[in-house]
Amino acid sequence: MCGIMGYTGKSQASAVILQGLAKQEYRGYDSAGIALRCDGRIVNAKIVGRVAELARRVRDLPPECECAVSGIGHTRWATHGGVTETNAHPHESSDGMVVLVHNGIIENSRDIRSRLESEGVRFITETDTEASCQLLAKLYRERGGDAHSAMSRLTASLTGAFALVIMFLDRPDEIWCARRGSPLVAANDGGASYCASDPTALLDYTHDLFFLEEGEMALLKPLACKFFNFDGSPREKESVSLNWSNVMTDKGRHEHFMRKEIEEQPDVLRLTIDTHTVVTTVAMGRDFNLPRGIMKKIRRVQFVACGTSHYATLVARDMLESLDRELDTRVEVASEYRYRDVAGGDDTLAIFVSQSGETADTLAAARRARAAGTCCVAITNVRGSTIDREVPHTLLSLSGPEIGVAATKTFTGQISLLALLVMWLLKDRGTLSANDEARLIGGLRSLPTLLQEILSREDEIKALAEKYSSSRGFFFIGRRECVPLTMEGALKMKEIAYLPSEAYAAGEMKHGPIAMLDDKLTVVALVPDTDLREKTLSNVEECRARSAPILLFATEGDLDALDFANDVFFMPRTERELIPFIGVLPLQLFAYHTARCLGRDIDMPRNLAKSVTVE
Ligand code: F6R
């Protein structure tokens, strides 16, 4: 959601900034802009559309802009004001002294705006951001050009969430940043400083990154980055080394990042299992600092997340319940948890899952739980992200950077880590038998090969996608361990193919949804060979009797399944609790190839943002 890139150094700023914005395109945006410092003035270019279009506009700027060595850029995901060039960032103050980009929402922008308008300031955009820009210019003037003091006063005056990146006309080589609520990362490589919303934009230059904390400002100069509290007092800061390689953020031979990331899932599983197990025993890495014995006093476990991460927690709940039915285990969406009167305290363990570590609702839910004295654990894919820094016990999922907006490999990274965490917790509680531990770890170890086998049969799924892409929509149905899969399968279809897709526990169909069925609405039924196979097949029969085309995902060898469906895709057999690990892959591929048939923008689906940093 909005991408920021700032640069001050010796290289061509426009090239660095455009490349940084391109790396953050996946965050989701509708317009883009850049401001470059050229020969003592600031030159702006803005467009509605893609970064490639902005690059063309930059080529048309006056020739001296090619020599600019500092500047800021932005991709905007509209919140306040329509998608127009005027509303695109950067914004410039009326006196031309301040140019600024922003990610977040300034909640008191209306008040600031009307105050400044009554003082004669003329606003030209409909955005909340312009209020912060015009206000900063006024504060800067009033303080005789003291940037420190003006920035402190600005941050104290704003309510809401912001990552702000700023250039002052009369301060060459300087870029100022401030962060509250929205992510911002800075870096220096010895000769240049950078800042961005997302660490992936900086990995071409350095892997040593400074993640700005809540209430922190930064001054970037070519030779160093300096950090301050909002009150202006200096702050010592350690860099964090991110061991992601640039290759990981490259599409390579693939047409889409999503396809590349689907294919990386066997490796994610292998790495997670190798890192957190020894032979047939679970052994969470040394960095995991949840004290041993903690589960003796825990009565309640809550899993809290949004979207795909929420579905990952449903998989974990199923596993936990199947191994220990005494523990009170709940799953909550973060946007509700943060406002409900959920039980908490030191007998409660809350596990927050967020691949980005920046989802506003998940962060707010975690803050609320901590305030209630609940013991909090976070699972995130991004070292140094807000959730990593704020929650005392963090486990890093090992998925590597995910660029496709639709989550795929991070889901697999999450469920594998959650499975191991569940085992660790139950072992600590004394309720995991050595048998179950060895059985599940053995099962996990065999998964990468099974996933590889499914990948080798991608053509089958592609053909199914081609056949069913003319459907009016989809119902995904299944029972128990397959319910999270129905949700994830339907979400992927909605997100990238834009086809109406509903997920239902199969037993719920006849309580209403079945009324929607006809020969244009395809039912995707997940019917692995478990004790619930027959029951689910009865539900499938009910759908077939209403003329719905049936696409069945069954276990290999279950040839009788062919009698119940128009088409069957056979999945390899695995432990019951691990079925979601296998089932998610064909569903991802099915959505991917359907979207491809329909010519959708797969890596950057309309209206979506990769990390949802506003409420
Ligand atoms: C779906 C998807 C979203 C995210 C959700 C939470 O493909 O990516 O539903 O799962 O926005 O994001 P994180 O995990 O970053 O908190």
Side-chain angles (χ1 to χ4, degrees):
M1 222 167 221
C2 296
I4 289 176
M5 183 75 189
Y7 173 78
T8 178
K10 293 195 177 58
S11 303
Q12 191 181 57
S14 57
V16 176
I17 292 166
L18 288 168
Q19 181 175 324
L21 293 182
K23 290 248 172 191
Q24 297 178 88
E25 282 192 290
Y26 74 97
R27 292 174 65 86
Y29 71 106
D30 40 55
S31 50
I34 190 168
L36 300 165
R37 181 189 297 284
C38 314
D39 279 352
R41 54 196 188 106
I42 288 177
V43 178
N44 249 313
K46 303 186 197 187
I47 55 101
V48 169
R50 296 294 189 208
V51 172
E53 176 58 28
L54 180 64
R56 279 190 284 278
R57 190 67 67 85
V58 167
R59 282 201 286 278
D60 294 338
L61 290 176
E64 62 270 24
C65 291
E66 282 184 26
C67 307
V69 290
S70 56
I72 57 180
H74 188 264
T75 49
R76 173 176 187 246
W77 192 86
T79 55
H80 291 55
V83 180
T84 63
E85 272 185 26
T86 310
N87 287 337
H89 303 206
H91 295 299
E92 200 171 341
S93 59
S94 308
D95 65 1
M97 291 305 285
V98 172
V99 61
L100 166 156
V101 295
H102 165 228
N103 174 9
I105 293 178
I106 310 284
E107 285 168 2
N108 58 341
S109 64
R110 280 168 168 272
D111 294 348
I112 297 173
R113 187 181 183 119
S114 48
R115 221 173 44 238
L116 291 174
E117 279 177 339
S118 71
E119 292 169 15
V121 177
R122 213 172 63 82
F123 279 69
I124 57 167
T125 79
E126 302 156 318
T127 64
D128 54 328
T129 302
E130 190 182 357
S132 61
C133 182
Q134 301 284 16
L135 177 60
L136 180 59
K138 172 184 147 113
L139 296 168
Y140 191 58
R141 273 194 312 273
E142 285 174 354
R143 283 159 177 72
D146 181 341
H148 252 106
S149 158
M151 287 289 296
S152 288
R153 187 72 205 110
L154 176 75
T155 53
S157 309
L158 301 179
T159 59
F162 52 83
L164 291 167
V165 174
I166 296 150
M167 289 196 297
F168 293 93
L169 179 64
D170 58 352
R171 294 182 161 269
D173 298 338
E174 289 186 6
I175 291 180
W176 288 77
C177 309
R179 182 227 154 127
R180 184 201 293 146
S182 300
L184 201 57
V185 55
N188 180 276
D189 65 4
S193 285
Y194 311 79
C195 64
S197 301
D198 196 308
T200 52
L202 306 185
L203 296 179
D204 285 329
Y205 313 104
T206 175
H207 287 242
D208 289 326
L209 307 174
F210 297 100
F211 290 88
L212 267 74
E213 308 273 347
E214 288 294 285
E216 197 166 45
M217 300 197 288
L219 168 57
L220 314 186
K221 292 181 162 206
L223 292 181
C225 306
K226 288 188 178 156
F227 300 92
F228 310 92
N229 297 307
F230 277 179
D231 65 8
S233 55
R235 201 156 159 160
E236 285 304 312
K237 201 168 174 63
E238 299 264 313
S239 65
V240 172
S241 184
L242 202 65
N243 64 353
W244 288 351
S245 80
N246 305 7
V247 180
M248 287 169 154
T249 58
D250 201 272
K251 227 177 344 191
R253 65 185 158 84
H254 297 278
E255 191 182 337
H256 298 104
F257 276 109
M258 182 180 176
R259 176 63 191 74
K260 172 179 182 256
E261 288 156 3
I262 288 174
E263 192 174 303
E264 286 170 352
Q265 291 177 109
D267 291 337
V268 171
L269 267 168
R270 231 173 256 123
L271 184 61
T272 310
I273 298 158
D274 289 349
T275 307
H276 295 299
T277 61
V278 178
V279 196
T280 52
T281 329
V282 64
M284 302 315 284
R286 254 177 306 150
D287 290 347
F288 186 54
N289 55 0
L290 201 62
R292 281 190 184 277
I294 184 146
M295 289 305 288
K296 298 281 185 253
K297 67 169 181 192
I298 296 296
R299 289 195 300 122
R300 265 184 230 108
V301 175
Q302 299 163 342
F303 292 100
V304 188
C306 301
T308 289
S309 301
H310 167 58
Y311 303 150
T313 66
L314 292 171
V315 175
R317 178 188 60 185
D318 173 66
M319 180 181 257
L320 201 156
E321 276 177 357
S322 76
L323 297 169
D324 184 339
R325 69 184 63 172
E326 299 302 317
L327 202 53
D328 175 9
T329 306
R330 308 262 164 119
V331 166
E332 306 276 352
V333 283
S335 54
E336 289 296 313
Y337 183 95
R338 64 183 290 189
Y339 293 119
R340 288 205 358 249
D341 286 321
V342 176
D346 63 3
D347 58 354
T348 307
L349 176 72
I351 300 167
F352 298 88
V353 182
S354 170
Q355 67 82 17
S356 64
E358 301 294 350
T359 300
D361 282 322
T362 311
L363 291 173
R367 286 173 195 142
R368 178 165 182 173
R370 287 188 67 200
T374 297
C375 174
C376 296
V377 171
I379 289 190
T380 182
N381 196 42
V382 183
R383 181 185 289 285
S385 60
T386 306
I387 210 160
D388 178 26
R389 282 176 288 113
E390 288 191 8
V391 173
H393 311 289
T394 306
L395 274 169
L396 283 173
S397 60
L398 302 169
S399 309
E402 186 175 72
I403 309 293
V405 164
T408 53
K409 65 173 179 168
T410 52
F411 176 80
T412 293
Q414 288 168 345
I415 57 177
S416 45
L417 198 49
L418 280 163
L420 293 161
L421 176 61
V422 162
M423 284 189 254
W424 188 94
L425 295 173
L426 295 186
K427 250 179 114 165
D428 192 57
R429 194 170 132 82
T431 52
L432 182 71
S433 70
N435 237 352
D436 276 336
E437 185 178 16
R439 175 178 69 81
L440 289 170
I441 291 179
L444 283 168
R445 281 195 195 289
S446 65
L447 290 174
T449 314
L450 302 182
L451 292 194
Q452 215 71 61
E453 191 193 306
I454 295 177
L455 282 167
S456 72
R457 291 164 49 216
E458 182 173 357
D459 280 350
E460 286 176 48
I461 300 169
K462 189 169 168 221
L464 292 169
E466 278 160 10
K467 177 169 173 183
Y468 290 102
S469 61
S470 56
S471 295
R472 181 160 63 82
F474 294 93
F475 266 97
F476 289 76
I477 63 169
R479 283 174 181 261
R480 201 176 49 201
E481 66 281 340
C482 288
V483 170
L485 285 180
T486 65
M487 295 177 173
E488 181 57 4
L491 181 66
K492 291 291 92 100
M493 194 60 88
K494 283 185 267 215
E495 283 184 293
I496 59 168
Y498 317 147
L499 288 176
S501 301
E502 297 274 343
Y504 272 98
E508 279 291 291
M509 283 301 281
K510 52 181 168 299
H511 297 291
I514 205 164
M516 297 202 38
L517 294 186
D518 60 25
D519 61 355
K520 300 268 174 323
L521 205 71
T522 300
V523 172
V524 179
L526 298 158
V527 195
D529 188 10
T530 67
D531 54 320
L532 295 180
R533 174 184 175 278
E534 307 302 328
K535 293 226 177 292
T536 319
L537 282 177
S538 303
N539 303 130
V540 170
E541 277 287 78
E542 289 154 9
C543 298
R544 213 153 67 112
R546 272 82 191 170
S547 312
I550 309 286
L551 168 57
L552 215 104
F553 287 80
T555 304
E556 63 192 353
D558 183 4
L559 296 182
D560 291 348
L562 291 165
D563 298 338
F564 291 82
N566 301 65
D567 289 284
V568 180
F569 182 83
F570 288 106
M571 303 183 292
R573 188 177 291 276
T574 184
E575 298 297 324
R576 183 194 81 64
E577 296 92 330
L578 303 182
I579 287 170
F581 290 75
I582 299 283
V584 73
L585 180 54
L587 294 180
Q588 293 166 343
L589 286 171
F590 184 56
Y592 171 78
H593 284 293
T594 305
R596 209 165 155 267
C597 281
L598 297 173
R600 307 299 195 218
D601 189 350
I602 292 180
D603 281 336
M604 281 179 275
R606 67 185 185 201
N607 304 337
L608 295 184
K610 180 74 180 161
S611 67
V612 182
T613 52
V614 295
E615 189 173 353

mmCIF file of all heavy atoms in Angstrom, residues 306-309 354-356 359 405-407 491-492 495 612, ligand 1:
data_model
loop_
_atom_site.group_PDB
_atom_site.id
_atom_site.type_symbol
_atom_site.label_atom_id
_atom_site.label_comp_id
_atom_site.label_asym_id
_atom_site.label_seq_id
_atom_site.Cartn_x
_atom_site.Cartn_y
_atom_site.Cartn_z
ATOM 1 N N CYS A 306 -4.889 -11.935 9.558
ATOM 2 C CA CYS A 306 -5.836 -11.470 8.530
ATOM 3 C C CYS A 306 -5.618 -12.270 7.247
ATOM 4 O O CYS A 306 -4.502 -12.713 6.961
ATOM 5 C CB CYS A 306 -5.558 -10.012 8.155
ATOM 6 S SG CYS A 306 -5.665 -8.855 9.496
ATOM 7 N N GLY A 307 -6.652 -12.377 6.448
ATOM 8 C CA GLY A 307 -6.558 -12.914 5.092
ATOM 9 C C GLY A 307 -5.964 -14.306 5.046
ATOM 10 O O GLY A 307 -6.322 -15.196 5.834
ATOM 11 N N THR A 308 -5.031 -14.497 4.137
ATOM 12 C CA THR A 308 -4.404 -15.808 3.970
ATOM 13 C C THR A 308 -3.714 -16.252 5.260
ATOM 14 O O THR A 308 -3.733 -17.437 5.613
ATOM 15 C CB THR A 308 -3.402 -15.751 2.797
ATOM 16 O OG1 THR A 308 -4.170 -15.649 1.597
ATOM 17 C CG2 THR A 308 -2.521 -16.970 2.727
ATOM 18 N N SER A 309 -3.128 -15.317 5.980
ATOM 19 C CA SER A 309 -2.468 -15.677 7.241
ATOM 20 C C SER A 309 -3.498 -16.215 8.228
ATOM 21 O O SER A 309 -3.204 -17.121 9.018
ATOM 22 C CB SER A 309 -1.761 -14.464 7.848
ATOM 23 O OG SER A 309 -0.810 -13.978 6.952
ATOM 24 N N SER A 354 1.663 -12.767 10.524
ATOM 25 C CA SER A 354 1.609 -11.755 9.465
ATOM 26 C C SER A 354 2.856 -11.888 8.621
ATOM 27 O O SER A 354 3.961 -11.670 9.112
ATOM 28 C CB SER A 354 1.556 -10.357 10.083
ATOM 29 O OG SER A 354 1.737 -9.381 9.089
ATOM 30 N N GLN A 355 2.679 -12.227 7.340
ATOM 31 C CA GLN A 355 3.893 -12.398 6.527
ATOM 32 C C GLN A 355 4.663 -11.084 6.430
ATOM 33 O O GLN A 355 5.871 -11.068 6.578
ATOM 34 C CB GLN A 355 3.575 -13.006 5.145
ATOM 35 C CG GLN A 355 2.759 -12.159 4.168
ATOM 36 C CD GLN A 355 3.566 -11.145 3.401
ATOM 37 O OE1 GLN A 355 4.795 -11.254 3.341
ATOM 38 N NE2 GLN A 355 2.915 -10.141 2.851
ATOM 39 N N SER A 356 3.949 -9.971 6.229
ATOM 40 C CA SER A 356 4.643 -8.684 6.090
ATOM 41 C C SER A 356 5.123 -8.143 7.425
ATOM 42 O O SER A 356 6.084 -7.380 7.486
ATOM 43 C CB SER A 356 3.690 -7.659 5.466
ATOM 44 O OG SER A 356 2.589 -7.432 6.340
ATOM 45 N N THR A 359 0.848 -5.449 8.898
ATOM 46 C CA THR A 359 -0.602 -5.311 8.760
ATOM 47 C C THR A 359 -1.162 -4.552 9.958
ATOM 48 O O THR A 359 -1.008 -4.981 11.112
ATOM 49 C CB THR A 359 -1.242 -6.704 8.619
ATOM 50 O OG1 THR A 359 -0.691 -7.303 7.452
ATOM 51 C CG2 THR A 359 -2.741 -6.629 8.494
ATOM 52 N N VAL A 405 1.318 -10.316 -5.318
ATOM 53 C CA VAL A 405 0.410 -9.790 -4.287
ATOM 54 C C VAL A 405 -0.343 -10.928 -3.598
ATOM 55 O O VAL A 405 -0.539 -10.918 -2.379
ATOM 56 C CB VAL A 405 -0.565 -8.762 -4.910
ATOM 57 C CG1 VAL A 405 -1.750 -8.504 -3.994
ATOM 58 C CG2 VAL A 405 0.177 -7.457 -5.151
ATOM 59 N N ALA A 406 -0.754 -11.922 -4.366
ATOM 60 C CA ALA A 406 -1.476 -13.047 -3.766
ATOM 61 C C ALA A 406 -0.471 -13.936 -3.024
ATOM 62 O O ALA A 406 0.495 -14.429 -3.613
ATOM 63 C CB ALA A 406 -2.186 -13.835 -4.845
ATOM 64 N N ALA A 407 -0.713 -14.133 -1.761
ATOM 65 C CA ALA A 407 0.218 -14.925 -0.943
ATOM 66 C C ALA A 407 0.172 -16.393 -1.368
ATOM 67 O O ALA A 407 -0.908 -16.960 -1.536
ATOM 68 C CB ALA A 407 -0.170 -14.793 0.523
ATOM 69 N N LEU A 491 -10.280 -17.526 -2.008
ATOM 70 C CA LEU A 491 -9.647 -16.202 -1.934
ATOM 71 C C LEU A 491 -8.705 -15.999 -3.125
ATOM 72 O O LEU A 491 -8.700 -14.944 -3.763
ATOM 73 C CB LEU A 491 -8.882 -16.044 -0.614
ATOM 74 C CG LEU A 491 -8.211 -14.682 -0.429
ATOM 75 C CD1 LEU A 491 -9.239 -13.560 -0.312
ATOM 76 C CD2 LEU A 491 -7.314 -14.664 0.804
ATOM 77 N N LYS A 492 -7.904 -17.021 -3.444
ATOM 78 C CA LYS A 492 -6.985 -16.884 -4.575
ATOM 79 C C LYS A 492 -7.769 -16.607 -5.854
ATOM 80 O O LYS A 492 -7.393 -15.779 -6.660
ATOM 81 C CB LYS A 492 -6.135 -18.155 -4.781
ATOM 82 C CG LYS A 492 -5.105 -18.454 -3.721
ATOM 83 C CD LYS A 492 -3.931 -17.501 -3.670
ATOM 84 C CE LYS A 492 -4.154 -16.361 -2.734
ATOM 85 N NZ LYS A 492 -3.579 -16.380 -1.438
ATOM 86 N N GLU A 495 -9.057 -13.044 -5.782
ATOM 87 C CA GLU A 495 -8.005 -12.034 -5.851
ATOM 88 C C GLU A 495 -7.429 -11.867 -7.243
ATOM 89 O O GLU A 495 -7.215 -10.753 -7.693
ATOM 90 C CB GLU A 495 -6.829 -12.455 -4.952
ATOM 91 C CG GLU A 495 -7.017 -12.246 -3.503
ATOM 92 C CD GLU A 495 -5.753 -12.612 -2.747
ATOM 93 O OE1 GLU A 495 -5.393 -13.805 -2.728
ATOM 94 O OE2 GLU A 495 -5.125 -11.711 -2.183
ATOM 95 N N VAL A 612 -1.139 -4.322 4.066
ATOM 96 C CA VAL A 612 -2.265 -3.431 4.344
ATOM 97 C C VAL A 612 -1.935 -2.639 5.611
ATOM 98 O O VAL A 612 -2.238 -3.059 6.722
ATOM 99 C CB VAL A 612 -3.567 -4.251 4.469
ATOM 100 C CG1 VAL A 612 -4.749 -3.333 4.699
ATOM 101 C CG2 VAL A 612 -3.786 -5.068 3.204
HETATM 102 C C1 F6R B 1 -4.015 -12.896 0.173
HETATM 103 C C2 F6R B 1 -3.179 -11.997 0.938
HETATM 104 C C3 F6R B 1 -3.807 -11.245 2.065
HETATM 105 C C4 F6R B 1 -2.863 -11.247 3.276
HETATM 106 C C5 F6R B 1 -3.422 -10.347 4.387
HETATM 107 C C6 F6R B 1 -2.552 -10.387 5.619
HETATM 108 O O1 F6R B 1 -3.337 -13.468 -0.888
HETATM 109 O O2 F6R B 1 -2.030 -11.838 0.671
HETATM 110 O O3 F6R B 1 -5.049 -11.771 2.406
HETATM 111 O O4 F6R B 1 -2.714 -12.550 3.711
HETATM 112 O O5 F6R B 1 -3.503 -9.033 3.922
HETATM 113 O O6 F6R B 1 -1.256 -9.975 5.333
HETATM 114 P P1 F6R B 1 -0.047 -10.256 6.305
HETATM 115 O O7 F6R B 1 0.173 -11.720 6.325
HETATM 116 O O8 F6R B 1 1.099 -9.506 5.707
HETATM 117 O O9 F6R B 1 -0.451 -9.741 7.645
#
